[in-house]
mmCIF file of all heavy atoms in Angstrom:
data_model
loop_
_atom_site.group_PDB
_atom_site.id
_atom_site.type_symbol
_atom_site.label_atom_id
_atom_site.label_comp_id
_atom_site.label_asym_id
_atom_site.label_seq_id
_atom_site.Cartn_x
_atom_site.Cartn_y
_atom_site.Cartn_z
ATOM 1 N N ASP J 308 -21.188 -5.008 0.796
ATOM 2 C CA ASP J 308 -22.490 -4.417 1.132
ATOM 3 C C ASP J 308 -23.363 -4.345 -0.116
ATOM 4 O O ASP J 308 -23.410 -3.326 -0.816
ATOM 5 C CB ASP J 308 -22.283 -3.018 1.728
ATOM 6 C CG ASP J 308 -23.577 -2.434 2.315
ATOM 7 O OD1 ASP J 308 -24.583 -3.165 2.393
ATOM 8 O OD2 ASP J 308 -23.556 -1.254 2.667
ATOM 9 N N PRO J 309 -24.077 -5.456 -0.438
ATOM 10 C CA PRO J 309 -24.904 -5.458 -1.638
ATOM 11 C C PRO J 309 -26.102 -4.516 -1.513
ATOM 12 O O PRO J 309 -26.786 -4.493 -0.494
ATOM 13 C CB PRO J 309 -25.364 -6.913 -1.761
ATOM 14 C CG PRO J 309 -24.920 -7.624 -0.536
ATOM 15 C CD PRO J 309 -24.116 -6.711 0.299
ATOM 16 N N ILE J 310 -26.345 -3.749 -2.579
ATOM 17 C CA ILE J 310 -27.477 -2.833 -2.654
ATOM 18 C C ILE J 310 -28.238 -3.130 -3.945
ATOM 19 O O ILE J 310 -27.629 -3.192 -5.020
ATOM 20 C CB ILE J 310 -27.045 -1.353 -2.636
ATOM 21 C CG1 ILE J 310 -26.170 -1.054 -1.420
ATOM 22 C CG2 ILE J 310 -28.256 -0.429 -2.685
ATOM 23 C CD1 ILE J 310 -26.868 -1.182 -0.086
ATOM 24 N N ASP J 311 -29.553 -3.308 -3.856
ATOM 25 C CA ASP J 311 -30.346 -3.621 -5.039
ATOM 26 C C ASP J 311 -30.347 -2.456 -6.018
ATOM 27 O O ASP J 311 -30.126 -1.299 -5.659
ATOM 28 C CB ASP J 311 -31.790 -3.963 -4.627
ATOM 29 C CG ASP J 311 -32.407 -2.865 -3.794
ATOM 30 O OD1 ASP J 311 -32.116 -2.791 -2.579
ATOM 31 O OD2 ASP J 311 -33.163 -2.036 -4.347
ATOM 32 N N ILE J 312 -30.594 -2.757 -7.282
ATOM 33 C CA ILE J 312 -30.476 -1.769 -8.351
ATOM 34 C C ILE J 312 -31.441 -0.598 -8.181
ATOM 35 O O ILE J 312 -31.140 0.539 -8.547
ATOM 36 C CB ILE J 312 -30.670 -2.448 -9.730
ATOM 37 C CG1 ILE J 312 -30.215 -1.516 -10.860
ATOM 38 C CG2 ILE J 312 -32.117 -2.911 -9.921
ATOM 39 C CD1 ILE J 312 -30.131 -2.213 -12.192
ATOM 40 N N GLU J 313 -32.605 -0.857 -7.573
ATOM 41 C CA GLU J 313 -33.589 0.212 -7.375
ATOM 42 C C GLU J 313 -33.068 1.292 -6.436
ATOM 43 O O GLU J 313 -33.496 2.442 -6.505
ATOM 44 C CB GLU J 313 -34.899 -0.353 -6.822
ATOM 45 C CG GLU J 313 -35.719 -1.161 -7.814
ATOM 46 C CD GLU J 313 -35.228 -2.590 -7.961
ATOM 47 O OE1 GLU J 313 -34.310 -2.985 -7.185
ATOM 48 O OE2 GLU J 313 -35.730 -3.306 -8.837
ATOM 49 N N ASN J 314 -32.148 0.923 -5.529
ATOM 50 C CA ASN J 314 -31.609 1.893 -4.572
ATOM 51 C C ASN J 314 -30.200 2.350 -4.922
ATOM 52 O O ASN J 314 -29.646 3.204 -4.219
ATOM 53 C CB ASN J 314 -31.611 1.284 -3.168
ATOM 54 C CG ASN J 314 -32.989 1.237 -2.561
ATOM 55 O OD1 ASN J 314 -33.626 2.264 -2.345
ATOM 56 N ND2 ASN J 314 -33.480 0.034 -2.299
ATOM 57 N N LYS J 315 -29.630 1.799 -6.000
ATOM 58 C CA LYS J 315 -28.262 2.164 -6.370
ATOM 59 C C LYS J 315 -28.185 2.894 -7.703
ATOM 60 O O LYS J 315 -27.403 3.829 -7.859
ATOM 61 C CB LYS J 315 -27.381 0.912 -6.404
ATOM 62 C CG LYS J 315 -25.883 1.218 -6.328
ATOM 63 C CD LYS J 315 -25.495 1.920 -5.044
ATOM 64 C CE LYS J 315 -24.004 2.067 -4.890
ATOM 65 N NZ LYS J 315 -23.608 2.853 -3.720
ATOM 66 N N LYS J 316 -28.971 2.471 -8.670
ATOM 67 C CA LYS J 316 -28.904 3.104 -9.988
ATOM 68 C C LYS J 316 -29.805 4.336 -10.006
ATOM 69 O O LYS J 316 -30.861 4.387 -10.651
ATOM 70 C CB LYS J 316 -29.302 2.119 -11.084
ATOM 71 C CG LYS J 316 -28.806 2.552 -12.454
ATOM 72 C CD LYS J 316 -28.990 1.465 -13.488
ATOM 73 C CE LYS J 316 -28.394 1.892 -14.824
ATOM 74 N NZ LYS J 316 -28.557 0.829 -15.861
ATOM 75 N N LEU J 317 -29.355 5.342 -9.258
ATOM 76 C CA LEU J 317 -30.092 6.588 -9.098
ATOM 77 C C LEU J 317 -29.131 7.753 -9.256
ATOM 78 O O LEU J 317 -27.923 7.557 -9.445
ATOM 79 C CB LEU J 317 -30.729 6.647 -7.695
ATOM 80 C CG LEU J 317 -31.736 5.560 -7.312
ATOM 81 C CD1 LEU J 317 -32.031 5.657 -5.818
ATOM 82 C CD2 LEU J 317 -33.016 5.689 -8.113
ATOM 83 N N GLU J 318 -29.659 8.967 -9.201
ATOM 84 C CA GLU J 318 -28.767 10.115 -9.130
ATOM 85 C C GLU J 318 -27.853 9.933 -7.921
ATOM 86 O O GLU J 318 -28.260 9.416 -6.879
ATOM 87 C CB GLU J 318 -29.576 11.398 -8.978
ATOM 88 C CG GLU J 318 -30.377 11.777 -10.210
ATOM 89 C CD GLU J 318 -31.098 13.090 -10.026
ATOM 90 O OE1 GLU J 318 -30.886 13.753 -8.991
ATOM 91 O OE2 GLU J 318 -31.886 13.468 -10.911
ATOM 92 N N PHE J 319 -26.632 10.395 -8.046
ATOM 93 C CA PHE J 319 -25.614 10.152 -7.024
ATOM 94 C C PHE J 319 -26.099 10.503 -5.632
ATOM 95 O O PHE J 319 -25.931 9.736 -4.674
ATOM 96 C CB PHE J 319 -24.351 10.949 -7.359
ATOM 97 C CG PHE J 319 -23.140 10.499 -6.606
ATOM 98 C CD1 PHE J 319 -22.269 9.591 -7.160
ATOM 99 C CD2 PHE J 319 -22.879 10.974 -5.334
ATOM 100 C CE1 PHE J 319 -21.146 9.173 -6.459
ATOM 101 C CE2 PHE J 319 -21.762 10.574 -4.627
ATOM 102 C CZ PHE J 319 -20.891 9.657 -5.188
ATOM 103 N N SER J 320 -26.742 11.647 -5.486
ATOM 104 C CA SER J 320 -27.149 12.121 -4.159
ATOM 105 C C SER J 320 -28.246 11.275 -3.546
ATOM 106 O O SER J 320 -28.414 11.247 -2.320
ATOM 107 C CB SER J 320 -27.598 13.592 -4.220
ATOM 108 O OG SER J 320 -28.679 13.724 -5.135
ATOM 109 N N ASN J 321 -29.011 10.559 -4.369
ATOM 110 C CA ASN J 321 -30.138 9.765 -3.872
ATOM 111 C C ASN J 321 -29.810 8.291 -3.664
ATOM 112 O O ASN J 321 -30.570 7.569 -3.027
ATOM 113 C CB ASN J 321 -31.325 9.866 -4.846
ATOM 114 C CG ASN J 321 -31.890 11.269 -4.909
ATOM 115 O OD1 ASN J 321 -31.901 11.988 -3.915
ATOM 116 N ND2 ASN J 321 -32.349 11.678 -6.085
ATOM 117 N N ALA J 322 -28.686 7.837 -4.201
ATOM 118 C CA ALA J 322 -28.319 6.428 -4.100
ATOM 119 C C ALA J 322 -27.884 6.079 -2.679
ATOM 120 O O ALA J 322 -27.358 6.915 -1.941
ATOM 121 C CB ALA J 322 -27.197 6.099 -5.084
ATOM 122 N N ILE J 323 -28.109 4.809 -2.290
ATOM 123 C CA ILE J 323 -27.673 4.320 -0.985
ATOM 124 C C ILE J 323 -26.176 4.018 -1.019
ATOM 125 O O ILE J 323 -25.649 3.531 -2.018
ATOM 126 C CB ILE J 323 -28.483 3.052 -0.595
ATOM 127 C CG1 ILE J 323 -29.944 3.417 -0.326
ATOM 128 C CG2 ILE J 323 -27.879 2.366 0.612
ATOM 129 C CD1 ILE J 323 -30.807 2.235 0.049
ATOM 130 N N ASP J 324 -25.493 4.351 0.087
ATOM 131 C CA ASP J 324 -24.062 4.023 0.199
ATOM 132 C C ASP J 324 -23.850 2.515 0.158
ATOM 133 O O ASP J 324 -24.669 1.753 0.675
ATOM 134 C CB ASP J 324 -23.501 4.528 1.542
ATOM 135 C CG ASP J 324 -23.539 6.036 1.656
ATOM 136 O OD1 ASP J 324 -23.541 6.704 0.623
ATOM 137 O OD2 ASP J 324 -23.562 6.537 2.793
ATOM 138 N N GLY J 325 -22.726 2.095 -0.423
ATOM 139 C CA GLY J 325 -22.361 0.677 -0.320
ATOM 140 C C GLY J 325 -21.775 0.111 -1.598
ATOM 141 O O GLY J 325 -22.176 0.499 -2.696
ATOM 142 N N SER J 326 -20.835 -0.806 -1.431
ATOM 143 C CA SER J 326 -20.227 -1.526 -2.560
ATOM 144 C C SER J 326 -19.997 -2.971 -2.166
ATOM 145 O O SER J 326 -19.603 -3.239 -1.026
ATOM 146 C CB SER J 326 -18.896 -0.878 -2.953
ATOM 147 O OG SER J 326 -18.196 -1.664 -3.906
ATOM 148 N N ILE J 327 -20.233 -3.890 -3.100
ATOM 149 C CA ILE J 327 -19.820 -5.265 -2.846
ATOM 150 C C ILE J 327 -18.298 -5.329 -2.951
ATOM 151 O O ILE J 327 -17.666 -4.449 -3.541
ATOM 152 C CB ILE J 327 -20.476 -6.259 -3.826
ATOM 153 C CG1 ILE J 327 -20.124 -5.901 -5.283
ATOM 154 C CG2 ILE J 327 -21.980 -6.298 -3.626
ATOM 155 C CD1 ILE J 327 -20.605 -6.924 -6.295
ATOM 156 N N GLY J 328 -17.706 -6.388 -2.346
ATOM 157 C CA GLY J 328 -16.256 -6.425 -2.367
ATOM 158 C C GLY J 328 -15.635 -7.791 -2.210
ATOM 159 O O GLY J 328 -14.407 -7.927 -2.336
ATOM 160 N N LEU J 329 -16.427 -8.826 -1.929
ATOM 161 C CA LEU J 329 -15.856 -10.154 -1.747
ATOM 162 C C LEU J 329 -15.113 -10.617 -2.998
ATOM 163 O O LEU J 329 -13.976 -11.099 -2.927
ATOM 164 C CB LEU J 329 -16.963 -11.159 -1.408
ATOM 165 C CG LEU J 329 -17.530 -11.113 0.013
ATOM 166 C CD1 LEU J 329 -18.791 -11.957 0.118
ATOM 167 C CD2 LEU J 329 -16.488 -11.597 1.026
ATOM 168 N N GLU J 330 -15.752 -10.451 -4.161
ATOM 169 C CA GLU J 330 -15.184 -10.975 -5.407
ATOM 170 C C GLU J 330 -13.913 -10.238 -5.831
ATOM 171 O O GLU J 330 -13.051 -10.811 -6.496
ATOM 172 C CB GLU J 330 -16.204 -10.883 -6.545
ATOM 173 C CG GLU J 330 -17.481 -11.666 -6.314
ATOM 174 C CD GLU J 330 -18.626 -10.789 -5.807
ATOM 175 O OE1 GLU J 330 -18.393 -10.048 -4.834
ATOM 176 O OE2 GLU J 330 -19.732 -10.848 -6.380
ATOM 177 N N SER J 331 -13.788 -8.977 -5.450
ATOM 178 C CA SER J 331 -12.667 -8.163 -5.955
ATOM 179 C C SER J 331 -11.525 -8.004 -4.953
ATOM 180 O O SER J 331 -10.458 -7.515 -5.327
ATOM 181 C CB SER J 331 -13.170 -6.769 -6.360
ATOM 182 O OG SER J 331 -13.790 -6.109 -5.266
ATOM 183 N N LEU J 332 -11.706 -8.401 -3.696
ATOM 184 C CA LEU J 332 -10.706 -8.071 -2.695
ATOM 185 C C LEU J 332 -9.312 -8.574 -3.057
ATOM 186 O O LEU J 332 -8.360 -7.791 -3.139
ATOM 187 C CB LEU J 332 -11.124 -8.618 -1.317
ATOM 188 C CG LEU J 332 -10.205 -8.208 -0.151
ATOM 189 C CD1 LEU J 332 -11.000 -8.019 1.131
ATOM 190 C CD2 LEU J 332 -9.096 -9.225 0.090
ATOM 191 N N PHE J 333 -9.162 -9.856 -3.274
ATOM 192 C CA PHE J 333 -7.834 -10.418 -3.509
ATOM 193 C C PHE J 333 -7.221 -9.890 -4.800
ATOM 194 O O PHE J 333 -6.050 -9.465 -4.820
ATOM 195 C CB PHE J 333 -7.901 -11.942 -3.551
ATOM 196 C CG PHE J 333 -6.580 -12.592 -3.860
ATOM 197 C CD1 PHE J 333 -5.576 -12.627 -2.910
ATOM 198 C CD2 PHE J 333 -6.330 -13.144 -5.102
ATOM 199 C CE1 PHE J 333 -4.341 -13.205 -3.196
ATOM 200 C CE2 PHE J 333 -5.107 -13.735 -5.400
ATOM 201 C CZ PHE J 333 -4.106 -13.769 -4.439
ATOM 202 N N VAL J 334 -7.986 -9.880 -5.883
ATOM 203 C CA VAL J 334 -7.424 -9.503 -7.184
ATOM 204 C C VAL J 334 -7.128 -8.010 -7.274
ATOM 205 O O VAL J 334 -6.375 -7.570 -8.151
ATOM 206 C CB VAL J 334 -8.354 -9.922 -8.335
ATOM 207 C CG1 VAL J 334 -8.489 -11.439 -8.380
ATOM 208 C CG2 VAL J 334 -9.727 -9.267 -8.215
ATOM 209 N N SER J 335 -7.683 -7.217 -6.353
ATOM 210 C CA SER J 335 -7.442 -5.771 -6.385
ATOM 211 C C SER J 335 -6.218 -5.352 -5.599
ATOM 212 O O SER J 335 -5.694 -4.240 -5.808
ATOM 213 C CB SER J 335 -8.670 -5.027 -5.822
ATOM 214 O OG SER J 335 -8.805 -5.215 -4.425
ATOM 215 N N LEU J 336 -5.723 -6.210 -4.707
ATOM 216 C CA LEU J 336 -4.709 -5.785 -3.744
ATOM 217 C C LEU J 336 -3.300 -6.290 -3.993
ATOM 218 O O LEU J 336 -2.344 -5.796 -3.404
ATOM 219 C CB LEU J 336 -5.123 -6.198 -2.334
ATOM 220 C CG LEU J 336 -6.348 -5.492 -1.756
ATOM 221 C CD1 LEU J 336 -6.653 -6.055 -0.372
ATOM 222 C CD2 LEU J 336 -6.135 -3.995 -1.689
ATOM 223 N N GLN J 337 -3.161 -7.291 -4.857
ATOM 224 C CA GLN J 337 -1.846 -7.932 -5.006
ATOM 225 C C GLN J 337 -0.739 -6.968 -5.398
ATOM 226 O O GLN J 337 0.341 -6.964 -4.815
ATOM 227 C CB GLN J 337 -1.930 -9.059 -6.031
ATOM 228 C CG GLN J 337 -2.193 -10.410 -5.424
ATOM 229 C CD GLN J 337 -1.577 -11.491 -6.261
ATOM 230 O OE1 GLN J 337 -0.419 -11.852 -6.066
ATOM 231 N NE2 GLN J 337 -2.334 -11.997 -7.194
ATOM 232 N N GLU J 338 -1.019 -6.130 -6.393
ATOM 233 C CA GLU J 338 0.011 -5.207 -6.860
ATOM 234 C C GLU J 338 0.350 -4.176 -5.788
ATOM 235 O O GLU J 338 1.483 -3.739 -5.661
ATOM 236 C CB GLU J 338 -0.447 -4.506 -8.150
ATOM 237 C CG GLU J 338 0.382 -4.920 -9.334
ATOM 238 C CD GLU J 338 0.036 -4.105 -10.589
ATOM 239 O OE1 GLU J 338 -0.241 -2.902 -10.479
ATOM 240 O OE2 GLU J 338 0.078 -4.702 -11.657
ATOM 241 N N THR J 339 -0.645 -3.797 -5.002
ATOM 242 C CA THR J 339 -0.472 -2.736 -3.995
ATOM 243 C C THR J 339 0.245 -3.264 -2.752
ATOM 244 O O THR J 339 1.125 -2.590 -2.210
ATOM 245 C CB THR J 339 -1.832 -2.153 -3.592
ATOM 246 O OG1 THR J 339 -2.488 -1.657 -4.750
ATOM 247 C CG2 THR J 339 -1.675 -1.026 -2.587
ATOM 248 N N LEU J 340 -0.139 -4.462 -2.284
ATOM 249 C CA LEU J 340 0.328 -4.943 -0.983
ATOM 250 C C LEU J 340 1.304 -6.114 -1.045
ATOM 251 O O LEU J 340 2.119 -6.295 -0.143
ATOM 252 C CB LEU J 340 -0.862 -5.333 -0.112
ATOM 253 C CG LEU J 340 -1.908 -4.249 0.171
ATOM 254 C CD1 LEU J 340 -3.001 -4.817 1.073
ATOM 255 C CD2 LEU J 340 -1.262 -3.026 0.811
ATOM 256 N N GLY J 341 1.173 -6.962 -2.073
ATOM 257 C CA GLY J 341 1.971 -8.172 -2.114
ATOM 258 C C GLY J 341 1.323 -9.289 -1.333
ATOM 259 O O GLY J 341 0.542 -9.062 -0.392
ATOM 260 N N LEU J 342 1.635 -10.530 -1.696
ATOM 261 C CA LEU J 342 0.941 -11.696 -1.152
ATOM 262 C C LEU J 342 1.157 -11.869 0.343
ATOM 263 O O LEU J 342 0.209 -12.168 1.079
ATOM 264 C CB LEU J 342 1.392 -12.959 -1.881
ATOM 265 C CG LEU J 342 0.695 -14.254 -1.472
ATOM 266 C CD1 LEU J 342 -0.802 -14.168 -1.720
ATOM 267 C CD2 LEU J 342 1.286 -15.441 -2.192
ATOM 268 N N GLU J 343 2.376 -11.669 0.815
ATOM 269 C CA GLU J 343 2.662 -11.920 2.234
ATOM 270 C C GLU J 343 1.795 -11.062 3.155
ATOM 271 O O GLU J 343 1.225 -11.552 4.129
ATOM 272 C CB GLU J 343 4.141 -11.669 2.518
ATOM 273 C CG GLU J 343 4.563 -12.039 3.932
ATOM 274 C CD GLU J 343 6.065 -11.985 4.127
ATOM 275 O OE1 GLU J 343 6.791 -11.876 3.132
ATOM 276 O OE2 GLU J 343 6.502 -12.069 5.291
ATOM 277 N N LEU J 344 1.685 -9.769 2.841
ATOM 278 C CA LEU J 344 0.892 -8.875 3.678
ATOM 279 C C LEU J 344 -0.595 -9.182 3.579
ATOM 280 O O LEU J 344 -1.317 -9.148 4.574
ATOM 281 C CB LEU J 344 1.161 -7.423 3.284
ATOM 282 C CG LEU J 344 0.559 -6.351 4.188
ATOM 283 C CD1 LEU J 344 1.094 -6.485 5.621
ATOM 284 C CD2 LEU J 344 0.852 -4.958 3.645
ATOM 285 N N ILE J 345 -1.070 -9.507 2.371
ATOM 286 C CA ILE J 345 -2.487 -9.832 2.188
ATOM 287 C C ILE J 345 -2.870 -11.041 3.033
ATOM 288 O O ILE J 345 -3.874 -11.006 3.766
ATOM 289 C CB ILE J 345 -2.808 -10.109 0.702
ATOM 290 C CG1 ILE J 345 -2.668 -8.827 -0.119
ATOM 291 C CG2 ILE J 345 -4.223 -10.668 0.559
ATOM 292 C CD1 ILE J 345 -2.776 -9.057 -1.615
ATOM 293 N N ILE J 346 -2.077 -12.099 2.949
ATOM 294 C CA ILE J 346 -2.411 -13.322 3.694
ATOM 295 C C ILE J 346 -2.360 -13.067 5.195
ATOM 296 O O ILE J 346 -3.237 -13.524 5.951
ATOM 297 C CB ILE J 346 -1.456 -14.473 3.302
ATOM 298 C CG1 ILE J 346 -1.584 -14.810 1.817
ATOM 299 C CG2 ILE J 346 -1.731 -15.707 4.163
ATOM 300 C CD1 ILE J 346 -2.998 -15.176 1.379
ATOM 301 N N GLU J 347 -1.369 -12.323 5.651
ATOM 302 C CA GLU J 347 -1.276 -11.992 7.072
ATOM 303 C C GLU J 347 -2.523 -11.254 7.546
ATOM 304 O O GLU J 347 -3.062 -11.531 8.625
ATOM 305 C CB GLU J 347 -0.043 -11.125 7.324
ATOM 306 C CG GLU J 347 0.116 -10.697 8.779
ATOM 307 C CD GLU J 347 1.209 -9.661 8.983
ATOM 308 O OE1 GLU J 347 1.665 -9.078 7.980
ATOM 309 O OE2 GLU J 347 1.605 -9.438 10.131
ATOM 310 N N LYS J 348 -3.002 -10.315 6.754
ATOM 311 C CA LYS J 348 -4.120 -9.469 7.139
ATOM 312 C C LYS J 348 -5.486 -10.119 6.898
ATOM 313 O O LYS J 348 -6.519 -9.578 7.284
ATOM 314 C CB LYS J 348 -4.082 -8.132 6.379
ATOM 315 C CG LYS J 348 -2.820 -7.327 6.619
ATOM 316 C CD LYS J 348 -2.656 -6.906 8.083
ATOM 317 C CE LYS J 348 -1.458 -5.991 8.268
ATOM 318 N NZ LYS J 348 -1.290 -5.555 9.660
ATOM 319 N N LEU J 349 -5.494 -11.306 6.282
ATOM 320 C CA LEU J 349 -6.745 -12.030 6.065
ATOM 321 C C LEU J 349 -6.853 -13.301 6.905
ATOM 322 O O LEU J 349 -7.900 -13.959 6.888
ATOM 323 C CB LEU J 349 -6.898 -12.412 4.589
ATOM 324 C CG LEU J 349 -7.163 -11.299 3.593
ATOM 325 C CD1 LEU J 349 -7.272 -11.867 2.178
ATOM 326 C CD2 LEU J 349 -8.420 -10.494 3.926
ATOM 327 N N THR J 350 -5.789 -13.646 7.630
ATOM 328 C CA THR J 350 -5.813 -14.927 8.344
ATOM 329 C C THR J 350 -5.541 -14.761 9.835
ATOM 330 O O THR J 350 -6.430 -14.449 10.607
ATOM 331 C CB THR J 350 -4.820 -15.925 7.710
ATOM 332 O OG1 THR J 350 -3.511 -15.342 7.662
ATOM 333 C CG2 THR J 350 -5.234 -16.285 6.284
#
Side-chain angles (χ1 to χ4, degrees):
D308 189 8
I310 305 295
D311 55 280
I312 194 169
E313 288 81 6
N314 285 297
K315 199 61 172 175
K316 199 170 184 180
L317 300 170
E318 291 183 6
F319 195 95
S320 59
N321 294 326
I323 292 179
D324 296 335
S326 171
I327 59 173
L329 285 168
E330 299 99 309
S331 59
L332 186 146
F333 177 73
V334 296
S335 71
L336 292 178
Q337 266 210 88
E338 247 187 37
T339 303
L340 302 181
L342 183 60
E343 186 171 349
L344 188 60
I345 293 172
I346 298 303
E347 178 189 14
K348 300 298 185 179
L349 290 179
T350 55

